Amino acid sequence: MKKSLFTMAALAALATTMAGCSLAPVYERPAQPVAPAFPHGDAYQGVPQAAADAKPVSQILWREYFADPKLRKVIELALANNRDLRVSVLNIEKAKAQYNIDTAALLPKLSANVSQSATRTPSNMTGTGQSIVNRQYNGGLVMSSYELDFFGKVRNQSEAGLQSYLGTEEARRTQQITLVSEVANAYLTLIADQQRLKLAQETLKSQQTSYDLSRKRFASGVVAGTDMYDAQTSVETARNDAAVYTAQVALDQNALALLVGSTVPDDLLPTGELEEVTQLAAIPAGLPSDLLQSRPDVQEAERSLRAANANIGVARAAFFPSISLTASGGSASSTLSGLFKAGSSTWSFAPQINLPIFDGGVNRANLNIAKADRDISVAQYEKSIQTAFREVADALATRGTLDQRLASSQALVEASQKSYTINEARYRQGADTYLNALVSQRALYTAQQGLITTRLAKNSNAVTLYKVLGGGWQPELPPQR
């Protein structure tokens, strides 16, 4: 029995120490199919250049980036409760379990086995005229069919599984970065619509006063009916806008609740101005395009490429012989009490060699498929780089012109306010009709709406630039389940 166990241990040790060659191609990262630096031009002149020692955006945690305490708490709720992010975490666990299965194939599988068999021979088939019952007891260790990995087939399968597992982790990072940016943008949109609602309500109140004055003047015969009706159109327009933005604020809150995964407490809903709530930290711009490698979606694409590269080694190994071992060792006896007595040891050793001779071209086709998958993964990886480059370039181009747009919008509001004040005063003094006041009021209202939109665009652009440069990952806060 001891000799059998020693033999089994020796076989297991031999199997685990067998090392063969790998037929997978040597992995080389494809060259980046983009320019070495982000674009330059008139659209990018307003983008500040990064200092030489600037901290990469991918290393700036979202807590450092978003200064508003309410927004940070809302993001924390989303990371804890968002169902899409939860699915990403579960996909990681699933991929990890699959990788463990693939890795287990590198080791021989040993199991203990104890069995009994009984056979009865009827009396008419024995020479003694009596039935006979034969019993046999077996016990020992069994090593099931184990493939010696001379050509790296199993190791490459394990490598492909590892890369797939790591790819799901990168997908989870992408999901979290996207979620953080979506929550921030939803929060900013809610603020903007709250401001639009407030503006519509203030305009309605102001125009209602003008309309009441016009109606009194019309009743006294001081002004024509057109002045009163012009004032009424302004009132109804503002009333309609107030109703529209009242509904839109509710829709924004519902959208935010879906992202968060639960109802957002009232004390965490925004109440301030855009410039007060989004005190976004400055981020470095003008970064070289090779920093796009820090984006998790790019890393995920590269993981897929590595897995496809390993699968070529699996397909190539199918052309070579495979050797599998099956062995067992233990004791056998006709009685249970004699199972472990001296002289009862038994063993079996059954190596098997499989040499492919003719398969109708299946192995060649599988290798071609693996190579095609690798080429597809290369193209997808390059496309992910190009997409990332375009997203950053677009965000930088928008950022480069936003300060000019914001200054222009602010100046337009100030000029429109002065024009409306003058025309409104002339109308109240009876020096002019209400038409000029109405035109200037509508211009002021449009300019104020435009200023809110531009402020929202500036803050949303900061969130977008933070996202496309790979920021937002914070591994110490995994979602709760």
Side-chain angles (χ1 to χ4, degrees), residues 271-430:
T271 55
E273 301 292 327
L274 279 170
E275 55 268 25
E276 295 175 355
V277 175
T278 56
Q279 300 173 14
L280 300 176
I283 61 176
L287 301 173
S289 59
D290 58 1
L291 287 183
L292 294 175
Q293 289 291 343
S294 64
R295 280 181 42 146
D297 58 334
V298 174
Q299 294 185 22
E300 181 185 1
E302 185 172 8
R303 295 295 182 188
S304 297
L305 175 56
R306 287 179 176 273
N309 196 72
N311 284 329
I312 292 179
V314 176
R316 285 176 173 173
F319 288 88
F320 294 87
S322 62
I323 302 175
S324 60
L325 302 178
T326 299
S328 65
S331 298
S333 175
S334 59
T335 62
L336 181 60
S337 60
L339 185 60
F340 297 104
K341 290 183 178 180
S344 63
S345 63
T346 181
W347 59 268
S348 68
F349 178 59
Q352 181 179 1
I353 300 178
N354 180 26
L355 178 64
I357 298 177
F358 177 75
D359 62 2
V362 172
N363 287 339
R364 175 61 60 183
N366 286 332
L367 177 58
N368 291 337
I369 291 173
K371 290 181 177 179
D373 286 339
R374 190 268 314 274
D375 294 341
I376 291 172
S377 295
V378 170
Q380 291 174 336
Y381 170 75
E382 293 175 341
K383 179 63 180 295
S384 70
I385 290 285
Q386 292 174 337
T387 300
F389 186 89
R390 186 258 173 99
E391 289 176 350
V392 175
D394 287 351
L396 290 175
T398 302
R399 182 182 181 182
T401 57
L402 272 170
D403 287 341
Q404 298 177 8
R405 290 171 54 189
L406 188 60
S408 176
S409 296
Q410 185 66 52
L412 180 60
V413 168
E414 293 173 358
S416 299
Q417 181 66 61
K418 293 177 181 178
S419 175
Y420 174 63
T421 300
I422 294 172
N423 285 297
E424 177 73 8
R426 287 175 57 82
Y427 170 69
R428 290 181 180 276
Q429 295 170 4

Side-chain angles (χ1 to χ4, degrees), residues 228-252:
M228 181 184 69
Y229 295 129
D230 286 342
Q232 185 178 7
T233 60
S234 180
V235 169
E236 298 306 327
T237 298
R239 194 192 313 276
N240 178 77
D241 286 353
V244 168
Y245 289 119
T246 297
Q248 189 59 51
V249 167
L251 296 178
D252 292 342

Side-chain angles (χ1 to χ4, degrees), residues 80-81 86 89-90 93 478-481:
N81 298 310
R86 189 171 299 177
V89 174
L90 295 175
E93 295 182 4
Q480 298 176 0
R481 288 177 293 161

Side-chain angles (χ1 to χ4, degrees), residues 120-131:
R120 180 182 183 276
T121 303
S123 58
N124 59 2
M125 296 183 64
T126 65
T128 63
Q130 296 180 350
S131 61

Side-chain angles (χ1 to χ4, degrees), residues 218-231:
F218 174 72
S220 302
V222 177
V223 298
T226 55
D227 281 1
M228 181 184 69
Y229 295 129
D230 286 342

